[in-house]
């Protein structure tokens, strides 16, 4: 302990700062291994349907009238041989997650939905992955990736917007990736 007393105040201060920085870095790197972050995001809302100019206020306010009108329109479409147009979000792609190795595990489903407004959303359901620092959600094409953002939680249902104009045919997998260490945690082949 005599060597500690022989150090100057500046040296002791620098060592103290170094220990604090090392402890903070160790916490940032190690805490995800024993801490989970759970999210439960609702499915993205479809575009709100506006009132058409031909509808009266009474029709909008009377749900029974609106329901029967929709039923009549559906019957007319089926009678005329025209199938009703799909309404609501449409699942385009579905894939199951797999862990990257024995330590980095993942499970759940990755689904790409087209919403009524034409936008695309990646939805992770019944999702769980080994936690880690700086995890990202990406679409991977074999040589490059499209970063959709930071993983919101290592457990739970969550949504990620896919940029307009993205060619989904170019990407063959969803990858949960640790940017800090360039390590793949889980993949889902599309």
């Amino acid at each position: 302990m005599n060597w500690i007393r022989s150090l100057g105040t500046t040296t002791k201060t620098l060592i103290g700062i170094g220990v604090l920085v090392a402890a903070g870095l160790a916490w940032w790197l190690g805490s995800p291994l024993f801490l989970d972050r759970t999210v439960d995001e609702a499915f993205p809302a479809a575009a709100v349907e506006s009132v058409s100019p031909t509808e009266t206020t009474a029709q909008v306010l009377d749900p029974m009238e609106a329901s029967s009108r929709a039923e009549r329109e559906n019957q007319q479409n089926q009678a005329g041989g025209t199938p009703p147009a799909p309404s609501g979000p449409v699942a385009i792609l579905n894939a199951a997650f797999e862990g990257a190795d024995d330590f980095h595990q993942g499970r759940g489903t990755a689904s790409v939905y087209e919403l009524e407004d034409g936008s695309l959303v990646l939805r992770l359901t019944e999702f769980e992955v080994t936690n880690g620092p700086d995890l990202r959600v990406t679409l991977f094409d074999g040589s490059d990736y499209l970063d959709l953002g930071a993983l919101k939680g290592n457990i739970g249902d969550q949504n990620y917007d896919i940029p307009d104009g993205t060619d989904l045919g170019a990407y063959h997998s969803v990858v949960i990736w640790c940017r800090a260490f360039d390590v793949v945690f889980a993949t889902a082949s599309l």
Side-chain angles (χ1 to χ4, degrees):
M1 291 295 202
N2 286 336
W3 67 272
I4 294 176
R5 286 188 206 128
S6 67
L7 296 175
T9 305
T10 305
T11 305
K12 288 179 186 176
T13 302
L14 290 175
I15 290 173
I17 291 171
V19 167
L20 289 175
V21 168
L25 184 60
W27 175 255
W28 181 74
L29 294 173
S31 66
L33 298 176
F34 53 89
L35 296 177
D36 288 326
R37 181 155 186 231
T38 302
V39 295
D40 187 18
E41 235 178 2
F43 192 82
V48 177
E49 191 174 313
S50 62
V51 177
S52 70
T54 59
E55 290 179 320
T56 65
T57 305
Q59 288 173 317
V60 173
L61 295 176
D62 184 359
M64 294 302 288
E65 173 61 26
S67 174
S68 61
R69 183 175 39 85
E71 189 175 320
R72 283 192 308 271
E73 288 174 359
N74 189 26
Q75 289 172 351
Q76 288 172 352
N77 284 341
Q78 290 177 353
T82 306
S87 64
V90 177
I92 299 172
L93 300 168
N94 287 304
F97 274 102
E98 297 177 355
D101 54 41
D102 290 339
F103 183 72
H104 303 102
Q105 292 295 306
R107 67 177 187 83
T109 304
S111 303
V112 175
Y113 288 90
E114 182 175 1
L115 303 181
E116 289 178 353
D117 64 1
S119 63
L120 299 174
V121 171
L122 171 67
R123 177 148 174 91
L124 309 182
T125 53
E126 298 179 8
F127 178 73
E128 189 170 344
V129 69
T130 305
N131 206 358
D134 200 17
L135 294 182
R136 310 295 294 180
V137 179
T138 63
L139 296 177
F140 188 66
D141 70 2
S143 61
D144 199 12
Y145 65 90
L146 174 64
D147 190 337
L148 300 181
L151 186 68
K152 297 172 185 175
N154 66 307
I155 299 173
D157 299 345
Q158 45 206 291
N159 308 308
Y160 297 88
D161 293 330
I162 298 174
D164 291 340
T166 299
D167 177 14
L168 289 178
Y171 297 98
H172 62 76
S173 59
V174 177
V175 177
I176 307 302
W177 170 65
C178 172
R179 180 169 59 182
F181 293 102
D182 195 20
V183 175
V184 173
F185 275 51
T187 61
S189 298
L190 299 173

